[in-house]
Amino acid sequence: MKILRLVLLAVGVLALVLGAMWLSGGTMPPPPVNPQKTILAETSKSIHAAWAGAETWSQKLYAEQQSDIGQMKGAGHISPSEADYLTAQSNNAATDALHRLLLQEFHRSDCRSAVVKDGMAGVDTLWRRLPDDARLQELRQIYGVYVKVSRFVASSHQLSPAFNGSSWKAFGPHRSRVLAEADGYRQNAVYRRHLSNITTLRTGLAATAERLSEAERQHHQALYNQIVRHFDHYTTAEARVNQRPRLADVFHRFSSEIGGTLASRLGSYYARY
């Protein structure tokens, strides 16, 4: 009822001022005060002022404004059409403020995920009422890219070899896909315009190749372990003789694709098998 109390007070003050002017010697009576029109104007002004001064999204403020409008309508201070008008004013002012605040946040180098989360809760609230609003559509689009890039830079980009006894997932195609995805984000128009100043995203994308190198090292080690574990399951001499040709094929492919110390260790394992 905060808005309603302020508006009714403004109407009363206006009536007193006009009455005092008339009583002080004016020859003409003051123009009649239209309380309903004044309530409408003052309420609209109060709604816009509240959001113009907002520094964060406030679900409480939005709910209070909607409640006050409903109570003024219920009390007969405004008509149903005027209530619709004020509701539209509240929705528009809140959307303007939210659009401004979230764009500012997305452009910060230290963009705060908690502020973004609260703001997007406001977007969800307003989206249910204004599903075609271009400002909300833009914020949803930016947030979608923000979430994708944030998840990408937080990933270690690991790949399980999934050794099946004779074959495995090679790391090379995986590396190419991840590098292409990183480049795609850097070239994304929404990212370039609104998100490229965020330090964690920018440096995270730049570190993709470095993370892939570590992921590749872990992939090779995991593959070596899986190969040895698989062939260790064959314990009888006959079974091992039968498995040697397959282990030989695995060893040659491993040496060709990976090489290095792990290939030498696998070669020693094959020689002892």
Side-chain angles (χ1 to χ4, degrees), residues 69-78:
I69 293 168
Q71 291 183 51
M72 285 188 287
K73 174 184 173 182
H77 296 300
I78 56 176

Side-chain angles (χ1 to χ4, degrees), residues 79-228:
S79 67
S81 62
E82 289 169 334
D84 291 341
Y85 168 79
L86 289 177
T87 297
Q89 291 288 301
S90 176
N91 287 337
N92 184 62
T95 301
D96 259 348
L98 188 54
H99 185 255
R100 168 178 55 83
L101 292 168
L102 271 179
L103 284 185
Q104 288 175 354
E105 193 63 34
F106 283 132
H107 282 260
R108 287 174 60 113
S109 61
D110 61 341
C111 180
R112 298 160 293 181
S113 59
V115 174
V116 172
K117 182 179 179 181
D118 288 344
M120 289 309 300
V123 170
D124 290 341
T125 296
L126 293 167
W127 182 259
R128 289 191 289 271
R129 294 161 175 79
L130 305 172
D132 299 321
D133 189 274
R135 295 162 297 181
L136 297 178
Q137 290 175 350
E138 181 182 29
L139 291 177
R140 284 163 61 92
Q141 182 185 40
I142 296 171
Y143 181 67
V145 176
Y146 171 82
V147 169
K148 287 181 180 179
V149 180
S150 295
R151 289 174 178 170
F152 180 84
V153 301
S155 171
S156 60
H157 308 302
Q158 292 184 351
L159 175 71
S160 172
F163 180 68
N164 62 9
S166 61
S167 185
W168 58 84
K169 294 180 181 178
F171 196 84
H174 173 68
R175 170 188 283 273
S176 297
R177 285 193 299 271
V178 172
L179 288 174
E181 186 175 357
D183 188 59
Y185 287 135
R186 279 191 291 266
Q187 300 304 318
N188 182 280
V190 172
Y191 171 81
R192 289 165 65 92
R193 182 177 181 184
H194 297 291
L195 304 171
S196 59
N197 195 46
I198 300 176
T199 301
T200 55
L201 301 188
R202 188 179 66 256
T203 59
L205 289 175
T208 300
E210 181 181 348
R211 291 194 176 197
L212 279 169
S213 295
E214 175 58 21
E216 185 174 30
R217 185 193 68 77
Q218 294 182 18
H219 171 274
H220 294 167
Q221 183 63 60
L223 175 58
Y224 172 85
N225 294 340
Q226 290 177 16
I227 291 171
V228 171

Side-chain angles (χ1 to χ4, degrees), residues 256-273:
S256 175
E257 287 186 7
I258 298 172
T261 303
L262 286 176
S264 299
R265 289 172 58 190
L266 188 59
S268 299
Y269 176 80
Y270 170 66
R272 297 192 308 270
Y273 197 73

Side-chain angles (χ1 to χ4, degrees), residues 231-253:
F231 286 101
D232 274 352
H233 286 156
Y234 301 96
T235 56
T236 67
E238 181 180 1
R240 293 204 164 200
V241 168
N242 291 334
Q243 289 299 315
R244 275 185 64 83
R246 179 174 293 180
L247 177 55
D249 290 341
V250 168
F251 167 63
H252 290 310
R253 180 185 167 188

